[in-house]
Amino acid sequence: MRTPPASDPARSALMKRVRQARTGAEEAVAAALRLAGLHYRRNAKGLPGAPDFANRSRRWALFVNGCFWHHHKNCRRGTIPKQNNAFWLEKFAANRARDARKAKALRALGFRVAILWECEALDPPRLKERVARLAGLWGRGQLDEKR
């Protein structure tokens, strides 16, 4: 992967403020999972990719992907910056490839894996519907969702 060009101090300060855990989207998902009666552990370090939410005994894992960082193609937040375009395209491709490897490794261990996008998590009616659907599928053991 190409290294990014030297950035200015203002951009560096901005990027350092980007949260990696306990984001607003993750907090909304955590609340919805609790309301749906699903028990979970956060950032399960012993599992491939340390899923944002996981239940080892019921064998499910949920990743909450940021629309920008994981390049959600069907979302306005998943835009590609115009500056350093080649770098960002490569960065997004690497992130998506890593996401696929993590999900594949979890599935190989018998886990049902779902991806929930930031835009879904920050839209309360959509989040409620999606978590209810996941809870129903996970309860019957039918989920292996690719999105």
Side-chain angles (χ1 to χ4, degrees):
M1 184 153 136
R2 290 182 29 200
T3 56
S7 63
D8 63 278
R11 173 62 61 188
S12 292
L14 176 75
M15 296 306 283
K16 285 179 182 175
R17 289 195 310 266
V18 175
R19 295 184 66 123
Q20 293 182 6
R22 300 243 176 207
T23 62
E26 284 183 21
E27 293 300 312
V29 171
L33 290 172
R34 282 191 304 273
L35 282 173
L38 292 172
H39 299 277
Y40 59 84
R41 292 279 181 248
R42 282 186 176 216
N43 306 95
K45 301 239 185 291
L47 294 175
D52 297 310
F53 300 95
N55 184 311
R56 291 173 200 251
S57 63
R58 299 220 181 251
R59 310 214 50 88
W60 60 262
L62 174 64
F63 291 95
V64 181
N65 284 354
C67 294
F68 176 76
W69 293 106
H70 298 268
H71 195 222
H72 188 203
K73 293 178 181 171
N74 301 324
C75 176
R76 66 179 173 78
R77 295 172 190 210
T79 60
I80 301 169
K82 289 179 178 44
Q83 204 167 19
N84 300 324
N85 190 273
F87 165 78
W88 285 108
L89 286 172
E90 203 171 319
K91 171 84 173 148
F92 294 143
N95 285 353
R96 291 176 73 88
R98 186 183 62 244
D99 293 343
R101 283 192 310 271
K102 292 187 300 188
K104 184 178 180 179
L106 282 163
R107 287 184 182 107
L109 293 173
F111 278 77
R112 292 159 293 174
V113 179
I115 309 284
L116 206 144
W117 290 96
E118 175 186 23
C119 59
E120 293 175 302
L122 297 177
D123 180 355
R126 202 167 156 195
L127 175 62
K128 183 179 178 182
E129 174 192 322
R130 185 83 195 281
V131 168
R133 182 173 163 257
L134 293 175
L137 291 171
W138 281 335
R140 292 190 300 272
Q142 298 173 353
L143 182 71
D144 190 12
E145 187 170 302
K146 295 178 184 176
R147 251 195 142 173

